[in-house]
Amino acid sequence: MDFLMTLGITAPAATIRLATPLLLCCLAGLYSERSGIVDIGLEGKMLSGAFAAAVVASTYNSALLGLVAAIITAIAFSVLHGIASINYRGNQIVSGVAINQLAVGLTAFLGNTWYGQGGRTPDLSGSARFLPIDLPGAAALANVPVIGPIYSGALSEQSPLTYFAFLCVPLTVWAIYRTRFGLRLRAVGENPQAVDTAGISVAWLRYRAVIICGVLTGVAGAFLSTSYSAAFVPNMTGGRGYMGLAALIFAKWRPWQSMGACLLFGLLNAIANQMGSNMVIPGIGNIPSELIDAMPYILTVLMLAGFVGTAHPPRAAGVPYVKER
């Protein structure tokens, strides 16, 4: 009972906080895969962005400059993936894995070389971090039933990057379903030949998608090192890029459903963190926190197996486009 009471108090805010990097990565993957570029390199882009943000924020004592550095770094990795996948028509899975491995090794090596702390960067404080924002009227509404706990306890005191992440959901819905760019993006992911026949550059559309992917993963990385934490540590992404990709599949490549999946996964993470080593449920026994951590992947496997519906990716996803002569 004490566990459930504590969870009820802390879970809403923790769920939103933990869902932030997942949501940014999920939307990044949505843009990329809607264009036909499979991207399992979300983890590496986010990790490199987290490192760049921490280094620049520590050097210049500015979280905003750190965010810019994170975005530029993640875009560079995205363009690298684009060159391999679009120009040279390489295997997109292999390219993504290579980016993940490159980011893991490069960030640890540079961090240890520059700071000599095993890959960790100096601690950030003050203007070098994105501090929580106290929403207007949060204190006044704190004791109001229902509304108070939601507004003051969950929505207020979040990072500005968290608000940006959730704002990206309706923006993505508008961009994907209400703009010419979105129409072309969906078309190039389904039938690039038709797009090319219409005189639209398939390569340029896909590059724009992977650049947007870089922007969002860069913001996710900056959130981890300058908001959620106060420094960069090696492998601090902890598989969140893969979890964001799992959320994308679970949501069937749709923005609103992606937000719901990320909130669900964030809730499971919050429960696992609150549980500690394990939780005892009467009649069932011990439930290890590792099982809760694995639930997003278990749900995704069930989705792919067709037990909770089927997930169909864009038809041209992962297929290099060769322009017809």
Side-chain angles (χ1 to χ4, degrees):
M1 184 63 68
D2 291 340
F3 168 78
L4 294 177
M5 292 180 60
T6 303
L7 183 63
I9 295 172
T10 61
T15 296
I16 294 174
R17 190 161 51 248
L18 290 167
T20 298
L22 305 182
L23 180 58
L24 288 166
C25 278
C26 186
L27 294 177
L30 187 148
Y31 279 100
S32 183
E33 299 203 6
R34 279 286 188 177
S35 74
I37 302 298
V38 174
D39 194 352
I40 65 169
L42 300 173
E43 180 87 0
K45 296 170 189 176
M46 180 167 50
L47 185 65
S48 63
F51 178 74
V55 169
V56 173
S58 174
T59 303
Y60 297 100
N61 198 36
S62 171
L64 187 59
L65 287 179
L67 174 62
V68 172
I71 292 173
I72 292 174
T73 303
I75 287 177
F77 275 86
S78 288
V79 171
L80 180 63
H81 181 56
I83 291 173
S85 303
I86 301 170
N87 290 70
Y88 293 99
R89 297 187 291 275
N91 188 297
Q92 297 170 14
I93 302 297
V94 174
S95 176
V97 171
I99 286 175
N100 288 338
Q101 295 302 315
L102 176 62
V104 169
L106 193 60
T107 54
F109 171 75
L110 292 178
N112 190 53
T113 301
W114 292 346
Y115 301 108
Q117 301 179 37
R120 180 186 176 91
T121 61
D123 290 338
L124 304 175
S125 61
S127 59
R129 295 191 65 198
F130 286 102
L131 300 176
I133 296 177
D134 188 9
L135 294 180
L141 294 174
N143 296 323
V144 177
V146 183
I147 297 176
I150 296 175
Y151 185 75
S152 302
L155 300 181
S156 186
E157 295 295 326
Q158 297 285 356
S159 166
L161 299 184
T162 295
Y163 299 121
F164 171 79
F166 284 89
L167 178 63
C168 282
V169 177
L171 289 177
T172 297
V173 173
W174 172 77
I176 295 293
Y177 298 107
R178 295 290 185 268
T179 67
R180 184 171 60 179
F181 166 73
L183 175 63
R184 292 176 173 178
L185 187 73
R186 286 181 286 134
V188 80
E190 296 290 341
N191 193 342
Q193 289 83 4
V195 173
D196 190 20
T197 303
I200 302 169
S201 173
V202 172
W204 176 228
L205 267 173
R206 288 183 167 178
Y207 265 114
R208 279 188 281 176
V210 297
I211 288 172
I212 294 173
C213 175
V215 171
L216 294 175
T217 50
V219 176
F223 170 82
L224 288 178
S225 60
T226 63
S227 182
Y228 186 74
S229 300
F232 173 86
V233 294
N235 296 313
M236 73 179 306
T237 48
R240 289 180 175 89
Y242 299 112
M243 194 175 293
L245 187 59
L248 178 62
I249 298 170
F250 189 74
K252 301 181 181 180
W253 292 267
R254 297 174 182 174
W256 288 116
Q257 289 86 338
S258 295
M259 183 181 73
C262 290
L263 286 171
L264 172 62
F265 292 179
L267 175 62
L268 293 173
N269 282 340
I271 293 173
N273 292 341
Q274 187 64 43
M275 282 172 58
S277 58
N278 57 61
M279 177 177 65
V280 179
I281 295 182
I284 298 178
N286 290 336
I287 297 181
S289 60
E290 290 80 6
L291 178 61
I292 305 298
D293 283 330
M295 282 304 299
Y297 304 104
I298 294 173
L299 293 174
T300 303
V301 170
L302 293 176
M303 167 68 73
L304 292 174
F307 291 108
V308 286
T310 56
H312 298 291
R315 284 185 293 177
V319 181
Y321 177 66
V322 180
K323 186 177 179 68
E324 296 181 356
R325 301 292 182 184

